[in-house]
Amino acid sequence: LPPLPPAFHDLYASTVRTTPHDSPALHQGRTRTTPHVPGHWPSHLYLEWHPPAAAHAALTSLLSSLRAAAPAVEVHSFLTSDLGAPLPLHVSLSRPITLTTGEKEGFLREMVGAVGGVGGGPGWELVGDGVEWHRTEESGRSFLVMRVREARSAGGEGRANSNPNPGLTELLRRCNAVVEGHGQPGLYEWAFGEGEEAVGRAFHVSVAWSFAEPTEEVRRVTAEVFGEERARARVRAMRIGVDGVKVKIGNVVTHVPL
């Protein structure tokens, strides 16, 4: 079958709420970092990626190998839904933020103005650049993340003090300016204090998650599974096109072209 038009995914980006209250039982035990409040809209800025069949199969296979090598750790995949349908992944350009009803329209208008002039030109792509665990204390979860770098910067891997994602860094700087203007915390604030290279190396796609804290043994096994030569080649062959920012406010997603 032909692929669905991109706008279709924006219309059905959220599942139907079956209860007015947050229920961890409906989300594999997860709880919201910021509890839902009527009149406040959970929001997020990101680049969306629908992995093609080859990338989806490669990541699924590598996750299966990781589960087999570390059976004591329960790993939940972001790649498929509970019914086995492929799911989109994303590169975050904001933390989970909250907007009031009165802020929604102005926030979206400001985002359109802020990011409309950014872009790497036709064919701006990100490539996979290694997989590792990252722990976030605020959510109490560990995330298996695939680092990304701009394809046009791929030749600079060996250079010291080089930012692998100059375009994404500028895009994030503009997104943070709008977010912080609405009294919300920016993304990767810690990295901006360490320099542009640190910011550039923070961008990633989350592939899976676990409540378990990754031990040295789990990190070692993960490095073996994803560091094997063929696995590295499969990850680096993945391409993520960058043509616009998704602005998700509540359950409404708007695509803002670059």
Side-chain angles (χ1 to χ4, degrees):
L1 295 175
L4 292 167
F8 178 88
H9 299 288
D10 295 342
L11 295 174
Y12 298 96
S14 299
T15 56
V16 175
R17 289 179 62 87
T18 57
T19 171
H21 306 289
D22 292 328
S23 176
L26 299 176
H27 305 285
Q28 299 166 309
R30 294 171 290 171
T31 57
R32 286 182 185 271
T33 303
T34 304
H36 174 68
V37 177
H40 287 203
W41 302 87
S43 305
H44 187 210
L45 309 176
Y46 57 94
L47 306 176
E48 190 168 66
W49 179 42
H50 291 265
H56 187 276
L59 290 172
T60 299
S61 174
L62 290 168
L63 275 184
S64 296
S65 297
L66 177 61
R67 290 189 177 110
V73 179
E74 188 174 10
V75 178
H76 302 274
S77 173
F78 283 124
L79 294 167
T80 55
S81 69
D82 293 339
L83 298 178
L87 294 176
L89 304 177
H90 64 265
V91 178
S92 286
L93 292 173
S94 80
R95 298 159 56 96
I97 59 177
T98 304
L99 301 173
T100 64
T101 300
E103 290 179 299
K104 290 164 53 180
E105 289 188 12
F107 181 87
L108 180 58
R109 184 168 56 250
E110 290 171 34
M111 278 300 304
V112 171
V115 308
V118 182
W124 187 13
E125 288 186 326
L126 309 178
V127 299
D129 191 37
V131 177
E132 61 189 38
W133 283 100
H134 173 65
R135 180 77 175 177
T136 60
E137 297 304 328
E138 59 186 16
S139 70
R141 290 190 287 163
S142 302
F143 294 88
L144 186 66
V145 303
M146 179 178 73
R147 301 292 178 185
V148 297
R149 68 165 58 239
E150 293 172 27
R152 61 189 178 189
S153 300
E157 290 185 40
R159 295 199 303 267
N161 301 320
S162 60
N163 182 353
N165 290 300
L168 286 186
T169 300
E170 175 60 24
L171 194 56
L172 176 62
R173 187 178 284 111
R174 297 192 184 199
C175 289
N176 275 352
V178 176
V179 167
E180 291 167 356
H182 285 261
Q184 299 288 316
L187 181 65
Y188 303 148
E189 291 177 318
W190 59 269
F192 278 102
E194 296 181 8
E196 192 167 291
E197 181 184 5
V199 181
R201 298 192 182 282
F203 294 102
H204 63 271
V205 173
S206 292
V207 177
W209 65 274
S210 175
F211 282 123
E213 189 158 350
T215 62
E216 288 301 317
E217 174 63 14
V218 170
R219 293 184 186 278
R220 183 189 65 78
V221 169
T222 302
E224 287 183 356
V225 169
F226 287 90
E228 187 268 330
E229 184 176 351
R230 183 166 178 267
R232 287 204 313 271
R234 296 173 82 181
V235 169
R236 289 177 177 173
M238 296 178 189
R239 296 289 185 271
I240 301 172
V242 181
D243 63 352
V245 175
K246 299 289 185 180
V247 181
K248 186 174 188 291
I249 303 177
N251 62 355
V252 177
V253 178
T254 302
H255 177 83
V256 181
L258 299 179

